[in-house]
Amino acid sequence: MDNAVSLQAIPSAAPSRTARGVVTALVVLALMVAAPLVLDRYWLALAIGVLFWTYLSSCWNIVGGLAGQFSLGHAAFFGMGAYASAWLYAHYGLSPWLGAVAGVGVAAVVSAILGAFTFRYKLTGAYFAIGTLAFSEVIRTLAGSLPFLGQGGGITVTLSPTPGWRILQFQQPVYFYYILLAMASAVLLVVWLLSRSRFGYRLACIRDSEAVAASLGIDANRMKLAAFVLSAALAAPAGTIYAQYLMFVDPNTFLGLGVAIQIVLPAVIGGTGTVFGPVFGAILLAAAVEGFNRFSVRPGLGLFAYGMVLMLSAVFLPRGLWPAIAGFFKRRFGWEA
Amino acid sequence: MLELRGVEKRFGGLQAVAGVSLAIEAGGIVGLIGRNGAGKTTVFNLVAGRYFPTAGSVLFDGRDITREPAERRALAGIARTFQIPEPLSSMDVLSNVMVGAFAHAVTRREAEALAHEVLERTGLAAKARLRASELTVPDLRRLEVARALATKPRLLLLDEAMAGLRPSEVDDAMALCRAVREAGVTLIVVEHVMYAVMNLCDRVVVMDQGRVIADGTPRDIGTNRTVIDAYLGREHAA
């Protein structure tokens, strides 16, 4: 009796929940598309930052969250996208769009080699984190010492007298806003689809127990490698966009330790492995940093805010901000996320 | 269906399995019993592919799988449960079973349908939306079985699926095992609950110190002098 009731309830509940989610997502997207009409330069720059970190952290979330493999080496793949397009543009005048494609290729190949070794030799948990971090530092050091990559000074993306879509240079930052909005929306859609797919279920199983995964026919090494390569390849174009936004690349800005950690933080604070965690993490971090920078007399307190947010969220929101928000709405209004 | 030929497993100085040869035909329930440390779970792990033997070979359907990794064996039709239940605790019960179903199902719809069917068969349908971490011990043991069954195995290895259950729950678990057998799945069960072994199994293999010391019907085993001395104790002598 009990069984019959619950079995009927499940299939009918699922579509309406999905439908509500889709409607919510479209409404938010529409508001985001319209937002630049009312945002001034300051708020636009802030929104660009949030979208940018949402995108990067969501890429990381595929391997770090869905598969539970805590990579600290994603700055390297992000930097490869930046260096590839900047170098190809500086030397051959190649369009950054093609440079982005090259960056994706480099990141995919390098991450495949790195992943093949780390997963083959069973580097998990802290060891995987440290191993990928060390790799990222090697890449930073290389970029800082190779003459053709400009060493410590990096590469300047020369300003063209004729900016536009072909060379990905714009006088108005609002173009970057729309590019990043499209990228962030796309990657969130990808993570959402992945999390519901066969691949996503397998990654979740690996995250919880590799022994169980093996007993259920899952080749954990192959799945982790696939997640790692996908995650790294998606991170690269963000590098290209950021290089075009700043008009230069250099080792510290693109490959430094700060970037390596900043990529991870929005997902961790928002909720590792959840689809929307990185969005809320990125918003919270931006708000904290900007708030401190704006209302404090001492410069550099923004970084202090970063640390505070990280510590407070670790203590009070161990599963992340988004699960806490979703849980609140579920308890208060009976809404299922 | 399954054959072990002179299988040995050594962990450093410890000879966990010391030359086990065993042939198991399709379509019954085989009990594997013995004292703690007799090598039962190691034999399981050698069959499931968690360990590779130091000597001897393992054949499944006449094919040598001695060096085949666990995930390939799972796809070939060997499923297992774990002695200490290993629920995927970040997921609900349905998703746990869906992971198993995805061994062969490709789409989410297929996996979900198969998972619901298995949950129905294992008596967990009403708990499909509970988190795995909210289950009671008997339900955790059922979930282990359900997740393994969702991979559509032909051989199912149950590692102490009745440990920690009350007598009425043991009866339920036995009924589940019989239903699985009727569905055409061969079972090998490592079990300490002697009442279950004697009433459930078609054949019982007794291990002691890494070797098989007796092999026969539950009735044979219950009257076997060696087994009584080594393991069962006098109160089980018929």
Side-chain angles (χ1 to χ4, degrees), chain B residues 5 19 22 39 95 122 130 167 171 210:
Chain B
R5 289 184 185 159
L22 204 59
S95 301
T122 48
L130 287 184
D171 286 335

Side-chain angles (χ1 to χ4, degrees), chain B residues 37-173:
Chain B
K40 309 176 300 283
T41 296
T42 308
V43 166
F44 255 42
N45 283 326
L46 291 169
V47 173
R50 190 168 196 182
Y51 308 142
F52 296 149
T54 26
S57 50
V58 183
L59 285 84
F60 186 59
D61 288 338
R63 194 165 57 87
D64 192 323
I65 58 165
T66 312
R67 297 263 138 206
E68 210 163 81
E71 62 269 15
R72 294 262 297 280
R73 298 190 200 195
L75 294 178
I78 301 178
R80 68 162 308 165
T81 65
F82 291 88
Q83 196 172 338
I84 298 159
E86 294 222 28
L88 306 172
S89 44
S90 69
M91 303 182 210
D92 62 12
V93 169
L94 177 67
S95 301
N96 264 264
V97 181
M98 280 174 70
V99 175
F102 272 124
H104 295 290
V106 177
T107 66
R108 188 184 162 82
R109 186 178 293 269
E110 271 177 85
E112 205 166 329
L114 177 56
H116 276 303
E117 184 198 311
V118 172
L119 287 175
E120 196 69 44
R121 276 165 61 196
T122 48
L124 284 172
K127 289 156 183 156
R129 289 292 172 187
L130 287 184
R131 290 183 84 80
S133 51
E134 295 170 334
L135 292 184
T136 59
V137 171
D139 282 338
L140 278 176
R141 299 230 175 256
R142 274 173 190 273
L143 177 58
E144 285 282 310
V145 176
R147 198 173 57 197
L149 281 178
T151 67
K152 293 191 173 175
R154 284 179 299 129
L155 176 65
L156 177 58
L157 312 170
L158 300 183
D159 199 351
E160 296 197 29
M162 299 175 196
L165 300 191
R166 288 189 302 237
S168 67
E169 293 162 353
V170 169
D171 286 335
D172 291 343

Side-chain angles (χ1 to χ4, degrees), chain A:
Chain A
M1 208 42 225
D2 217 333
N3 296 0
V5 171
S6 70
L7 271 179
Q8 279 166 359
I10 290 160
S12 62
S16 78
R17 212 162 71 200
T18 312
R20 195 169 53 206
V22 168
V23 170
T24 311
L26 288 177
V27 168
V28 172
L29 189 60
L31 289 174
M32 294 289 285
V33 169
L37 295 174
V38 293
L39 295 181
D40 63 20
R41 263 188 108 80
Y42 171 77
W43 285 100
L44 191 65
L46 206 58
I48 287 173
V50 168
L51 288 171
F52 174 74
W53 291 112
T54 296
Y55 176 84
L56 256 183
S57 208
S58 294
C59 295
W60 176 87
N61 203 20
I62 294 171
V63 70
L66 298 183
Q69 307 301 310
F70 207 94
S71 165
L72 279 177
H74 268 54
F77 307 121
F78 164 70
M80 283 171 198
Y83 268 89
S85 64
W87 187 77
L88 287 168
Y89 180 72
H91 287 261
Y92 301 103
L94 196 69
S95 158
W97 294 99
L98 296 174
V101 174
V104 168
V106 173
V109 170
V110 174
S111 64
I113 296 167
L114 177 66
F117 278 103
T118 51
F119 298 134
R120 166 75 183 75
Y121 293 104
K122 298 282 171 209
L123 258 61
T124 53
Y127 300 98
F128 180 72
I130 292 168
T132 46
L133 179 64
F135 159 80
S136 170
E137 285 294 284
V138 167
I139 297 295
R140 182 176 67 88
T141 312
L142 270 181
S145 54
L146 291 176
F148 80 101
L149 290 180
Q151 294 172 312
I155 303 168
T156 303
V157 178
T158 44
L159 189 61
S160 163
T162 54
W165 284 97
R166 197 192 71 79
I167 53 164
L168 211 56
Q169 289 185 12
F170 305 105
Q171 278 155 346
Q172 301 295 328
V174 70
Y175 289 99
F176 286 107
Y177 173 88
Y178 282 117
I179 290 170
L180 284 166
L181 179 60
M183 286 168 68
S185 310
V187 82
L188 287 173
L189 184 64
V190 166
V191 174
W192 183 72
L193 289 173
L194 279 182
S195 71
R196 296 168 52 86
S197 72
R198 185 191 207 192
F199 184 50
Y201 273 79
R202 291 179 153 183
L203 293 180
C205 180
I206 290 165
R207 179 179 64 202
D208 281 3
S209 165
E210 289 202 21
V212 171
S215 82
L216 300 176
I218 300 167
D219 185 340
N221 284 357
R222 242 183 70 195
M223 295 296 128
K224 287 193 286 187
L225 183 60
F228 191 50
V229 172
L230 178 63
S231 173
L234 286 173
T240 300
I241 297 299
Y242 201 47
Q244 296 300 119
Y245 184 65
L246 296 183
M247 305 294 286
F248 73 90
V249 295
D250 76 8
N252 281 331
T253 315
F254 285 81
L255 296 162
L257 210 54
V259 191
I261 291 167
Q262 259 184 302
I263 289 174
V264 176
L265 282 186
V268 169
I269 288 170
T272 317
T274 63
V275 178
F276 297 107
V279 182
F280 289 89
I283 292 171
L284 182 66
L285 281 170
V289 173
E290 287 305 313
F292 262 80
N293 280 343
R294 208 170 196 194
F295 299 113
S296 73
V297 281
R298 303 213 176 273
L301 272 181
L303 282 175
F304 175 73
Y306 242 92
M308 287 300 288
V309 168
L310 184 59
M311 279 195 289
L312 291 175
S313 72
V315 172
F316 294 108
L317 303 166
R319 285 176 57 223
L321 182 61
W322 167 239
I325 294 173
F328 172 77
F329 277 103
K330 191 179 169 184
R331 281 193 305 276
R332 191 82 172 71
F333 306 106
W335 293 355
E336 291 268 0

